[in-house]
Amino acid sequence: MSVPRLDIDLRKIHDNASALVDSLGHCGISVTGVTKAMLGCPAIADAFLQAGVRSLGDSRIENIETLRTAHVSAPIAMIRSPMMSQAARVVASADSSFNTEVEVIQQLSAAAESTGKKHGVVLMVELGDLREGIMPADLECTVSEAFRLPGITVRGVGTNLACRYGVVPDQESMDRLSALADSIEATFGLTLDVVSGGNSANLKWAFGNVHTGKINDLRLGESMLLGRDPVDRRPIAGLHTDAITLVAEVIESKIKPSRPTGATAQAAFGDVSIPGDRGLVPQAILAVGRQDVDPDGLQAQPGVEISGASSDHLIVHSGRERLPVGTELWFEPNYSALLRAMTSPFVSKVIRPVRAGNSPAGPTEG
Ligand SMILES: *Cc1c(COP(=O)(O)O)cnc(C)c1O
C-alpha cells in the first residue's frame, strides 16, 4: 500500500461522532458535521450522517460540490462567508451559508431568485475573537436588510470563537448570543431555526453547563475526527484519538553523531537550535516532509521521537534500536498536520472499511 498515507478509520470516526451527537442531544444541541479538513470526503460525510449529525458544513464551495456530486443529499451549509464571485455556485449546491456582508447576501438573493429557490442565511456575530462576524450593535440592521431580500430566508444567527486569538467560548459569550437571538425574534416576530454557538472549542462549555439558552447547534470537525478538544488539545473522554493516522516509510537508518559537524547557520526552515551531545545514536529518515505535513503537529507512535524535518525528510530517533529500512511508522496528526496531509497530492488517503455497496473488499485508496 502506498506511503506516505493517511489511514482513515470510518468506524472510529462514526464512534466519535455518535458519542458527541448523543451527549449534545441531552443538552438540546444538534450537530453540524464539518467536513472541510477532509476536503468534503463523501465517506466521512456518510459516517457523520449515520452517527446522527443533522446537517453538514464546509468552508469551501469545491468541497460542497464534491459532496453533491457524490449524491449526498443532507442539508449543507457554507460556513465561510461566500465570495461574491461564487454566489451562483453557493446557491446551486449549498442550502444555506454563513454571512456577514449585506452585499454578499444581495448577490445570493439575486442568484437564488434566478433559479427560483430560496437560500438560507445564518448571520454570524462578532463576540470577541475578531475573525468573522457582524458587530452586535449592527445585527438588527443587517437582519432587516436580509429579511427584505426576496431570494433569502433568514435562518438564524451564529458565532465563531477560539480560532484567531483562542478566545474561549464561555457562559457569558453564549448568553450574549442567546440574548441577541431573543431580541431578533422579538423585533421581527419570527422564530430562528438555528442558533449556532460555535465549533469544537465549545464542548467544554456545553458539557460543563446546563444553561444552553437558545443555542441549538454546534459545528464540529476536529473533535469528531481527532477526538481532541481544541482548547487544550487533550483527548476527549471516550473518544478515539487514532481514527486518522499518518504512515510513513524509513528510507535511511544509520548510526550518526547526535551533534552536527562544522559551523552552523540557519537550516532550510530557519531553525538554529543545536541538540546536546549524546554521542552516537541511531537515526532514521522517513520519506515525508513539510510539503506533506506539519511535522510540529505529529505525535509519533510509542518509542519513537521526532527530531527534525525539512521539505522531504522527517528525522526520528528510536532509542537504542535501529529501525530497518522499509519500516512503516505511524503518527497521530493534529489539526494542522491533518489539513496539510489531506491537501498534499503526495499523501494517499486510505479509508477503511469501504462504504457499503463498493464491491471489492479492501480499503479504498485515493
Ligand atoms: C472550521 C470551522 C468549524 C469547525 O471547527 P472545529 O474546531 O474543527 O470543530 C466551525 N465553524 C466554522 C465557521 C469553521 O470555519
Side-chain angles (χ1 to χ4, degrees), residues 10-56:
L10 282 183
R11 244 186 296 264
K12 288 181 179 173
I13 291 172
H14 175 276
D15 285 354
N16 286 354
S18 164
L20 290 168
V21 165
D22 290 350
S23 33
L24 287 169
H26 292 303
C27 317
I29 293 177
S30 64
V31 173
T32 295
V34 176
T35 51
K36 69 187 181 205
M38 308 310 288
L39 312 188
C41 170
I44 302 290
D46 275 356
F48 284 174
L49 290 166
Q50 278 166 30
V53 313
R54 194 180 64 163
S55 59
L56 300 169

Side-chain angles (χ1 to χ4, degrees), residues 32-37 57-59 78-81 98 124 131-132 159-163 196 198-203 218-225 228-230 233 335:
T32 295
V34 176
T35 51
K36 69 187 181 205
D58 205 291
S59 52
M78 170 93 176
I79 61 172
R80 182 174 71 182
S81 178
F98 288 12
M124 293 296 273
R131 206 182 68 177
E132 77 273 39
T159 195
N160 193 73
L161 296 169
C163 281
S196 190
N199 53 48
S200 296
N202 281 61
L203 289 172
L218 289 180
R219 312 171 304 268
L220 304 182
E222 177 168 355
S223 52
M224 300 204 289
L225 298 169
R228 289 179 187 271
D229 185 331
R233 265 46 226 211
Y335 196 70

Side-chain angles (χ1 to χ4, degrees), residues 280-335:
L280 290 170
V281 290
Q283 157 182 312
I285 299 180
L286 298 162
V288 68
R290 292 188 186 273
Q291 190 162 17
D292 314 294
V293 72
D294 175 4
D296 305 325
L298 292 178
Q299 187 179 312
Q301 67 181 68
V304 175
E305 190 192 316
I306 296 171
S307 98
S310 56
S311 312
D312 313 300
H313 298 86
L314 185 73
I315 297 122
V316 302
H317 292 297
S318 51
R320 291 172 187 289
E321 198 194 336
R322 211 182 69 85
L323 295 164
V325 173
T327 304
E328 288 188 355
L329 298 182
W330 59 266
F331 304 82
E332 284 184 14
N334 72 3
Y335 196 70

